[in-house]
Amino acid sequence: MPGFSSSYFSDFGLLLYLEELNKEEFSKFKLLLKNETMERGYCLIPWAEVKKAKREDLANMINKHYPREQAWDMALKIFGRMNLKDLCTRAKAEINWAAQTMGPKDIGAGEAQGDQEEVLGDGTEYRIQIQKKFCFMRDKKCFLGEPKDFRHKIAEEGRELLEHLFDVDDQTGEQPQTVVLQGAAGVGKTTLVRKAMLDWAQGQLYQQKFTYIFYLNAREINPWRERSFVQMISKDWPSTEGPIERIISQPDSLLFIIDSFDELNFAFEEPEFALCENWTQVHPVSFLMSSLLRKVLLPESSLLVTTRLTACKKLKTLLRSQRSVELLGVSEEAREEYVYQFFEDKTCALQILSLLRNNEVLYSMCQVPLMCWVICSCLEQQMQKGGDVTLTCKTTTALFTCYVSSLFMQVDGRCPSLPNQTQLRSLCHLAAKGIWTMTHVFYRENLRKHGLTKADVSVFLDMNILQKDTDYENCYEFTHLHIQEFFAAMFYTVKDIQGTGHHSSQASADLKLLLESSSSKDPHLMQMKCFLFGLLNEGQVKQLEETFNCKMSLEIRGKILQGMEILGNSDCFPPQLAYLELFHCLYETQDEAFINQAMRHFQKVVINICEKIHLLVSSFCLKYCQCLRTIKLSVTVVFEKMLNSNLPAEIWQREAYHCWQDLCSVLHTNKDLRELDLNHSNLDELAMKMFYQELRHPNCKLQKLLLRFLSFPDGCQNISSSLTHNPNLLHLDLKGSDIGDSGVKSLCEALKHPVCKLQSLGLESCNLTTLCCLNISKTLVRSQSLIFLNLSTNHLLDDGVELLCEALRHPKCHLERLSLESCGLTVASCEDLSLALIGNKRLTHLCLADNILGDGGVKLMSDVLKHPQCTLRSLVLRRCHFTSVSGEHLSSSLLSNKSLRHLDLGSNWLQDDGVKLLCDVFRHPGCKLQDLELMGCVLTSACCLDLASAVLNNPNLRSLDLGNNDLQDNGVKILCETLKQPNCNIQRLGLEYCGLTSLCCQDLSSTLSSNQRLIKMNLTQNTLGCEGIMKLCEVLRSPECKLQVLGLCKEAFDEEAQKLLEAVGVHNPHLVIKQNCNDHNEEDGSWWQCF
């Protein structure tokens, strides 16, 4: 074993390797050490001291009692006997490396000095300094018995992740310069990057990628004001290494680790020109960090940035490009292993695992090592007291209430001193302020601002609510983010010293923002929001009052109910995710009466259920939403997961099906429920069976049922049976469900049943063929209720339509609306339909869109329109492959037709000539047409004079859609002049994608200020620019503007234009600006799309 000129490897190396042993291995090492010293007759370390020694203590003992070569010889032998071959190999290699680098021990003083000069600046001293620093930092923050080996194991699992962070991208062939390591609070990001520093210093990581790595921690940086970048990174640089400037001058081989970006107290709002490139000049530290992240300072260097998920959005705005990697923390397998280790009783461990898996929020919290310990410790104490752990695991609030209360339990005969009411409120205020501002690290000045003295802080340190960072001076934090979030929620319920609640205007504003918050916009507020709702539960409040001996208020319930009323009555409440998040919060209350009150103003909910927790909270809350009229629900993945879950199948099934049964019971318990949408749901046979049972319940008042894109393995037998048991069901839509001709046969049998009162049936894209048309034809004659049938996008062909037309000609056919879009029809079908329309006085709406009818087919339909017995009110001929020739056919028929109100000729090659022919008719006072659609008809500004004349002379025309035509500014100018006229009755105007620019906006503004009838206009996909938006906004803000709906994509404009459009909403609350303003409405021309 070579000697050393430095004591480094013996002093620190052994400790590093002892740190690599897990708990069991460390115990075995101690035992073998005892045997080894006895066998060799070495000077014995007292066994009692060895037995209780921690890793650092044991390393010191060994170094103290044995010469360093002897110590390592013995340690390596023990590693070998433990079969730790990898550890032995690495240790031997590192010893040799240290010996070669540092020189032999017995070299004379002069030679040693010469060697030192030779290796000066090769990085060895810096590596040694880093190893010393990060060796002592490692696993230093083991909290409240948190399993040290557990966290260590997690860090080891991250080793492979570290090795590949800067691998070359397979697609681009480039190595990323910036890598973002993101993850939840406490998941192990800092542990991992500190391990990276240590592994690099030990020669085990990034040796070929980076010559030097520098570590910058937010907590250390925050107090700094001004310095140069060289000064910032020189804190660990040994003077024996020579000038650090020499290293920085080669930035392409440098890696800077920026740890805890989310904790940096910088706004990062510096303009680009203010950023600095010079790393020797003194600047505000915020400027330097901004310059480094934005790749202005040392752009060739590499960055590894750690951040919490909540700050990812802020970080992304600074980075030009990055590779993002999420650290997920403790795997499911490791969580299970930990619970079994924590609870020695296997039955007890199984119970806890089952309860945690039932609450996926709690189970996901266990991805954080500390939370794993907190949750298990809390449940263990509950079991020891004989408490009900099932209730504790029901909500996160219940568990954290239990945990916080447990911090006051007597330990070794003593109980932590209780904070007084003022201290508690000050702590809660600090926590709340931190959550709102995403501040989780507090310095002395933060504490003083919130009235917390050194004595106050000591109280919370003793209780393990706060902890002091031992690495950085005057730096405090809550023991975990969730603890901070819990006390932040308490801020809104803890009374002040006078015994009153928190009634400040700021608190009311906070509540409003909290209720309107969502995980997409405000992820940092979500858990505090859940805790706040959970603290509306009287039981939780009572427990906290007893724990803290304080007074809390439930007055906040009233304020939250007022906020819920506003949300419920709002037309723009966000869909899907927001409702689900709201249900998560309401579930935390476990208060049925409160949920009933909170949801009484909601008539519609939209939920996407893709996790079991979603099913749990939705089924619980929906039972108490008694005023709902519409539920839009999509259930995916949940029942599939039963096959892939680690839980026993019967447990998964029992729990999931129980929740599903509760949810389905809403069909008969909610007397106001009229519409249910289960589109895109993935339900197995048993789940569907439960649903059908509720659908057949005599108290089910459901009228409209949408089952689009579902699977019906029973061939529609059950849904058909439900139709014969539920006379309230009037509307059924099975679009996209692969029921086929056999499924239609079952449905047709049900439609003939006297109990079935179905009026509307949607079978679009149901894989139907000509074969089903005979059954449908017979049903149309027998059914007295069916008035709307959608058969679009099925392979019916002309033969199928011929069969349908036989029914349409029958006097007992009551059908009023029929859609045959994209059914493979040709001119032959027009012949059959023309005969049917003459003999059928009930059919008023017909859609033939997307069929190759051509000019011949349109001629046949035009001839029908001339017939005095034709009662059609709406005819849709969109994408029917006709030309301007059809303009002549249609013009002659429209003049004599008295019933047609809506005509859709969109996406056909009409051109200006065809429209000119039609306009000649539209100008005639005898033309009754009200709604004309000419989108994508290859029109130019040349036809606008004819259109303007038609609009001006036809008092019946109310809606005109000219979208997707090259009208340009000149064409719109002509139309605007007409729209200003007092006898123009146009209410809806479509100008989407018409080649418009800012030049037309003055004409549009002038029109909007004078026209009192125009209520809807679509201007999407036009290049109006900020200048054009400014002109429009001037009139849109005015009370003279009567427009109600404006089609514009706000995101398509720059920030200034977006702000102008947002301001319009404040000045003119009656105006809605949205990208998609083509709302499908049964009363207008889009009846065939709204089914």
Side-chain angles (χ1 to χ4, degrees):
M1 176 78 62
F4 303 106
S5 61
S6 166
S7 65
Y8 162 70
F9 204 76
S10 60
D11 292 344
F12 296 102
L14 182 56
L15 175 55
L16 294 176
Y17 283 90
L18 290 180
E19 289 281 4
E20 296 222 17
L21 305 179
N22 62 33
K23 191 175 182 180
E24 186 181 339
E25 288 169 344
F26 185 51
S27 299
K28 190 174 181 181
F29 181 90
K30 289 180 180 180
L31 191 61
L32 290 172
L33 175 64
K34 176 186 176 185
N35 297 336
E36 186 70 23
T37 54
M38 288 176 68
E39 287 173 15
R40 296 195 175 202
Y42 288 160
C43 174
L44 294 177
I45 308 170
W47 170 243
E49 291 184 27
V50 171
K51 189 176 181 180
K52 66 181 181 181
K54 295 180 179 178
R55 289 168 172 79
E56 188 177 336
D57 299 330
L58 187 62
N60 290 335
M61 286 179 193
I62 293 172
N63 290 326
K64 180 181 176 182
H65 283 78
Y66 308 108
R68 60 183 68 126
E69 290 87 354
Q70 201 175 71
W72 269 102
D73 181 45
M74 181 169 57
L76 288 172
K77 186 171 182 182
I78 294 173
F79 289 157
R81 291 177 67 179
M82 292 172 67
N83 202 29
L84 300 173
K85 296 177 182 177
D86 179 59
L87 215 61
C88 287
T89 304
R90 283 196 285 119
K92 287 175 183 177
E94 206 163 346
I95 290 167
N96 291 332
W97 173 80
Q100 292 165 13
T101 305
M102 302 308 299
K105 178 183 175 183
D106 58 351
I107 291 179
E111 288 179 71
Q113 178 66 31
D115 282 353
Q116 187 179 357
E117 289 174 2
E118 184 179 333
V119 298
L120 184 69
D122 69 352
T124 302
E125 292 291 339
Y126 178 62
R127 285 177 183 260
I128 290 171
Q129 176 64 23
I130 292 299
Q131 289 188 62
K132 286 180 181 179
K133 177 177 178 177
F134 286 92
C135 170
F136 287 120
M137 276 186 170
R138 187 174 182 177
D139 292 331
K140 200 172 181 181
K141 297 180 181 178
C142 189
F143 163 75
L144 290 176
E146 175 199 344
K148 189 173 183 180
D149 294 308
F150 187 51
R151 182 179 282 266
H152 172 71
K153 183 179 179 180
I154 300 305
E156 285 302 313
E157 289 174 356
R159 173 62 188 267
E160 186 178 351
L161 178 67
L162 283 174
E163 289 177 348
H164 299 291
L165 286 179
F166 288 92
D167 283 358
V168 172
D169 189 290
D170 292 335
Q171 294 181 342
T172 63
E174 297 178 358
Q175 179 180 316
Q177 271 197 304
T178 302
V179 174
V180 176
L181 186 63
Q182 58 197 41
V187 83
K189 302 180 294 296
T190 293
T191 303
L192 197 60
V193 293
R194 286 181 175 180
K195 176 176 172 56
M197 288 297 296
L198 194 55
D199 286 355
W200 170 80
Q202 291 174 344
Q204 299 171 24
L205 184 70
Y206 299 149
Q207 299 306 295
Q208 306 304 314
K209 285 187 173 74
F210 306 114
T211 310
Y212 290 93
I213 303 181
F214 296 94
Y215 178 80
L216 297 166
N217 185 282
R219 299 185 185 191
E220 188 172 20
I221 293 170
N222 278 332
W224 296 348
R225 293 293 172 258
E226 289 191 347
R227 53 185 68 192
S228 70
F229 189 69
V230 169
Q231 291 172 326
M232 285 179 65
I233 64 171
S234 295
K235 60 189 185 302
D236 296 318
W237 189 257
S239 58
T240 53
E241 286 285 6
I244 196 172
E245 287 81 358
R246 176 175 59 85
I247 305 303
I248 303 180
S249 63
Q250 299 173 344
D252 56 335
S253 63
L254 302 181
L255 170 64
F256 296 100
I257 295 178
I258 302 172
D259 190 15
S260 304
F261 167 83
D262 50 282
E263 293 179 2
L264 287 172
N265 295 334
F266 305 142
F268 291 109
E269 293 174 349
E270 299 84 5
E272 194 79 22
F273 68 83
L275 300 178
C276 45
E277 300 178 8
N278 192 320
W279 31 268
T280 61
Q281 288 181 353
V282 174
H283 290 279
V285 171
S286 60
F287 277 51
L288 293 173
M289 291 304 295
S290 190
S291 302
L292 184 65
L293 288 164
R294 296 189 196 184
K295 287 292 178 186
V296 173
L297 179 66
L298 301 172
E300 300 90 352
S301 65
S302 295
L303 300 178
L304 173 55
V305 188
T306 73
T307 183
R308 291 180 180 175
L309 297 169
T310 49
C312 286
K313 202 173 187 180
K314 180 181 178 182
L315 176 59
K316 193 174 181 180
T317 61
L318 300 173
L319 305 177
R320 291 181 180 174
S321 65
Q322 79 278 348
R323 172 182 289 173
S324 296
V325 178
E326 185 172 353
L327 190 61
L328 298 175
V330 187
S331 66
E332 191 167 344
E333 183 182 350
R335 277 175 270 171
E336 186 176 326
E337 181 184 338
Y338 177 75
V339 172
Y340 278 114
Q341 285 179 358
F342 193 97
F343 297 93
E344 295 178 0
D345 185 305
K346 188 177 179 182
T347 305
C348 181
L350 273 171
Q351 181 192 3
I352 297 301
L353 270 174
S354 176
L355 289 171
L356 289 177
R357 285 197 179 106
N358 275 342
N359 188 330
E360 291 178 16
V361 176
L362 282 181
Y363 197 47
S364 65
M365 282 183 176
C366 289
Q367 289 177 291
V368 176
L370 173 59
M371 281 295 102
C372 228
W373 179 84
V374 164
I375 290 169
C376 287
S377 298
C378 178
L379 296 177
E380 182 186 44
Q381 288 182 12
Q382 278 290 91
M383 295 175 98
Q384 289 170 351
K385 291 191 302 181
D388 189 345
V389 289
T390 303
L391 289 176
T392 306
C393 287
K394 205 155 198 175
T395 66
T396 54
T397 311
L399 188 133
F400 276 83
T401 299
C402 174
Y403 172 69
V404 169
S405 300
S406 74
L407 297 177
F408 294 89
M409 291 179 62
Q410 287 195 5
V411 181
D412 298 328
R414 61 180 286 273
C415 183
S417 57
L418 284 172
N420 60 42
Q421 192 95 7
T422 303
Q423 289 172 325
L424 183 60
R425 272 185 64 83
S426 296
L427 179 80
C428 292
H429 191 196
L430 176 76
K433 185 74 173 177
I435 295 300
W436 281 102
T437 60
M438 288 192 280
T439 303
H440 311 297
V441 179
F442 305 98
Y443 300 90
R444 281 276 171 84
E445 57 268 27
N446 302 125
L447 302 176
R448 280 197 297 268
K449 281 181 184 177
H450 288 83
L452 288 166
T453 65
K454 190 174 182 180
D456 297 335
V457 172
S458 296
V459 173
F460 297 114
L461 287 172
D462 289 342
M463 292 167 56
N464 290 308
I465 289 170
L466 290 178
Q467 64 182 8
K468 188 174 182 179
D469 193 321
T470 54
D471 295 326
Y472 304 105
E473 195 176 355
N474 297 325
C475 185
Y476 299 84
E477 62 184 329
F478 285 83
T479 47
H480 188 269
L481 174 62
H482 294 326
I483 304 295
Q484 182 181 350
E485 290 165 331
F486 185 81
F487 280 95
M490 281 183 64
F491 173 64
Y492 299 98
T493 61
V494 176
K495 292 184 179 181
D496 58 25
I497 198 166
Q498 285 80 30
T500 59
H502 201 86
H503 297 297
S504 73
S505 58
Q506 183 58 52
S508 298
D510 287 354
L511 284 177
K512 183 177 183 296
L513 290 172
L514 263 185
L515 287 175
E516 294 173 353
S517 64
S518 67
S519 60
S520 56
K521 292 190 303 177
D522 318 286
H524 60 292
L525 300 177
M526 291 301 99
Q527 189 57 54
M528 177 176 72
K529 183 178 177 181
C530 276
F531 280 142
L532 180 59
F533 273 78
L535 291 176
L536 301 179
N537 182 286
E538 292 183 15
Q540 310 300 341
V541 169
K542 185 178 180 182
Q543 186 175 348
L544 289 170
E545 284 181 330
E546 291 173 355
T547 297
F548 287 102
N549 191 26
C550 69
K551 293 179 180 179
M552 297 177 71
S553 170
L554 283 173
E555 293 174 20
I556 198 171
R557 287 169 66 107
K559 291 182 179 295
I560 288 179
L561 287 174
Q562 288 174 12
M564 293 290 288
E565 180 178 353
I566 293 170
L567 288 179
N569 292 326
S570 171
D571 293 330
C572 54
F573 187 72
Q576 294 187 22
L577 189 61
Y579 285 107
L580 196 54
E581 288 170 356
L582 180 59
F583 280 177
H584 271 283
C585 293
L586 290 171
Y587 180 80
E588 285 287 318
T589 68
Q590 289 294 299
D591 188 329
E592 300 167 9
F594 179 81
I595 297 172
N596 209 327
Q597 281 184 290
M599 293 301 295
R600 65 182 176 180
H601 299 285
F602 288 80
Q603 294 193 354
K604 177 181 179 179
V605 292
V606 184
I607 315 164
N608 184 13
I609 296 176
C610 52
E611 298 286 346
K612 194 174 70 172
I613 187 68
H614 301 163
L615 184 58
L616 174 69
V617 299
S618 299
S619 62
F620 181 82
C621 294
L622 283 172
K623 287 188 294 184
Y624 309 112
C625 300
Q626 292 298 312
C627 297
L628 286 180
R629 295 187 64 83
T630 302
I631 298 177
K632 189 173 182 181
L633 197 65
S634 178
V635 186
T636 56
V637 184
V638 176
F639 293 102
E640 290 177 4
K641 279 191 174 180
M642 293 197 297
L643 303 174
N644 305 321
S645 172
N646 290 334
L647 273 174
E650 64 274 10
I651 297 177
W652 237 116
Q653 289 173 351
R654 183 172 65 248
E655 293 162 355
Y657 287 133
H658 177 74
C659 291
W660 177 244
Q661 182 70 62
D662 272 357
L663 195 152
C664 291
S665 68
V666 173
L667 290 179
H668 80 264
T669 58
N670 188 330
K671 302 295 189 295
D672 292 325
L673 190 63
R674 293 295 179 267
E675 180 177 345
L676 176 64
D677 182 339
L678 276 175
N679 293 345
H680 296 280
S681 291
N682 197 343
L683 304 171
D684 64 13
E685 191 173 347
L686 182 55
M688 288 298 287
K689 184 178 179 182
M690 291 177 175
F691 167 70
Y692 291 133
Q693 285 174 347
E694 294 297 333
L695 192 60
R696 293 174 194 145
H697 196 285
N699 291 334
C700 176
K701 306 297 182 185
L702 204 67
Q703 294 180 353
K704 188 172 183 179
L705 178 60
L706 284 76
L707 300 176
R708 293 180 173 183
F709 304 100
L710 262 66
S711 175
F712 294 92
D714 63 346
C716 285
Q717 290 293 330
N718 276 297
I719 189 65
S720 298
S721 173
S722 300
L723 289 173
T724 62
H725 286 80
N726 189 335
N728 297 307
L729 202 59
L730 305 178
H731 181 121
L732 176 64
D733 189 354
L734 302 175
K735 176 182 177 179
S737 301
D738 190 16
I739 62 173
D741 296 331
S742 59
V744 168
K745 185 177 181 181
S746 296
L747 288 169
C748 286
E749 290 302 316
L751 286 166
K752 297 173 189 174
H753 196 281
V755 174
C756 177
K757 304 299 180 186
L758 201 70
Q759 296 179 0
S760 180
L761 177 61
L763 298 173
E764 182 180 350
S765 303
C766 284
N767 197 28
L768 310 184
T769 70
T770 305
L771 296 176
C772 74
C773 292
L774 183 59
N775 285 312
I776 294 173
S777 184
K778 291 177 180 178
T779 302
L780 290 175
V781 175
R782 293 277 302 275
S783 172
Q784 301 297 300
S785 59
L786 193 66
I787 57 174
F788 188 174
L789 179 61
N790 187 348
L791 296 172
S792 297
T793 322
N794 287 295
H795 202 55
L796 304 185
L797 306 178
D798 295 329
D799 290 342
V801 170
E802 184 181 0
L803 292 169
L804 293 174
C805 286
E806 288 179 14
L808 292 175
R809 289 195 295 269
H810 199 284
K812 289 188 177 180
C813 175
H814 290 76
L815 203 65
E816 296 176 4
R817 300 186 179 196
L818 175 63
S819 180
L820 297 170
E821 178 187 5
S822 191
C823 284
L825 311 186
T826 69
V827 64
S829 290
C830 294
E831 294 182 19
D832 294 308
L833 285 166
S834 61
L835 292 172
L837 287 169
I838 293 171
N840 186 324
K841 293 186 178 181
R842 292 193 177 99
L843 193 67
T844 56
H845 293 63
L846 178 64
C847 173
L848 299 174
D850 208 10
N851 287 292
I852 306 176
L853 307 184
D855 292 318
V858 174
K859 185 179 186 307
L860 289 168
M861 298 308 297
S862 299
D863 290 341
V864 174
L865 291 173
K866 293 178 186 176
H867 201 283
Q869 288 186 292
C870 176
T871 55
L872 268 188
R873 294 178 61 82
S874 173
L875 178 61
V876 180
L877 297 174
R878 187 180 296 190
R879 296 185 303 276
C880 283
H881 301 263
F882 56 83
T883 68
S884 57
V885 174
S886 292
E888 187 175 350
H889 302 318
L890 287 166
S891 60
S892 61
S893 60
L894 288 173
L895 198 58
S896 56
N897 183 285
K898 304 302 179 186
S899 63
L900 198 67
R901 297 294 180 267
H902 166 247
L903 180 61
D904 185 343
L905 304 176
S907 300
N908 288 291
W909 204 263
L910 266 182
Q911 300 182 285
D912 296 332
D913 291 341
V915 168
K916 180 177 172 60
L917 291 168
L918 290 170
C919 287
D920 289 341
V921 178
F922 296 153
R923 279 193 290 266
H924 198 281
C927 179
K928 304 297 182 183
L929 203 66
Q930 296 177 357
D931 190 340
L932 176 63
E933 300 188 51
L934 296 171
M935 309 85 65
C937 285
V938 202
L939 310 182
T940 69
S941 57
C943 72
C944 289
L945 276 173
D946 294 302
L947 284 168
S949 175
V951 166
L952 200 58
N953 289 285
N954 189 334
N956 299 310
L957 203 59
R958 299 286 191 273
S959 177
L960 178 62
D961 195 336
L962 300 170
N964 288 283
N965 288 296
D966 192 27
L967 305 185
Q968 300 190 352
D969 298 328
N970 291 335
V972 169
K973 183 178 181 69
I974 295 168
L975 293 173
C976 285
E977 288 301 318
T978 302
L979 291 168
K980 292 176 191 176
Q981 302 303 314
N983 55 333
C984 174
N985 291 323
I986 291 291
Q987 297 175 0
R988 297 187 296 273
L989 179 63
L991 295 172
E992 176 185 4
Y993 197 44
C994 284
L996 310 184
T997 70
S998 59
L999 296 176
C1000 73
C1001 291
Q1002 186 60 54
D1003 295 309
L1004 288 169
S1005 298
S1006 177
T1007 299
L1008 290 172
S1009 62
S1010 61
N1011 188 308
Q1012 301 296 295
R1013 292 190 176 94
L1014 192 64
I1015 58 173
K1016 182 176 178 181
M1017 182 164 65
N1018 190 356
L1019 294 174
T1020 54
Q1021 298 189 65
N1022 288 294
T1023 315
L1024 303 181
C1026 186
E1027 184 184 348
I1029 293 299
M1030 287 177 66
K1031 292 176 183 175
L1032 283 175
C1033 287
E1034 287 178 16
V1035 69
L1036 292 175
R1037 288 194 297 264
S1038 169
E1040 295 175 1
C1041 177
K1042 303 302 179 184
L1043 202 67
Q1044 296 175 9
V1045 180
L1046 174 62
L1048 272 181
C1049 177
K1050 295 178 186 177
E1051 291 74 19
F1053 299 96
D1054 61 24
E1055 190 175 347
E1056 184 183 356
Q1058 287 186 43
K1059 287 180 180 178
L1060 288 169
L1061 290 169
E1062 291 293 341
V1064 166
V1066 177
H1067 288 88
N1068 188 352
H1070 301 294
L1071 176 64
V1072 176
I1073 302 175
K1074 55 183 180 178
Q1075 181 176 356
N1076 183 13
C1077 68
N1078 295 320
D1079 298 324
H1080 300 323
N1081 189 327
E1082 289 192 24
E1083 301 307 315
D1084 66 20
S1086 56
W1087 61 269
W1088 55 284
Q1089 294 172 306
C1090 72
F1091 191 93

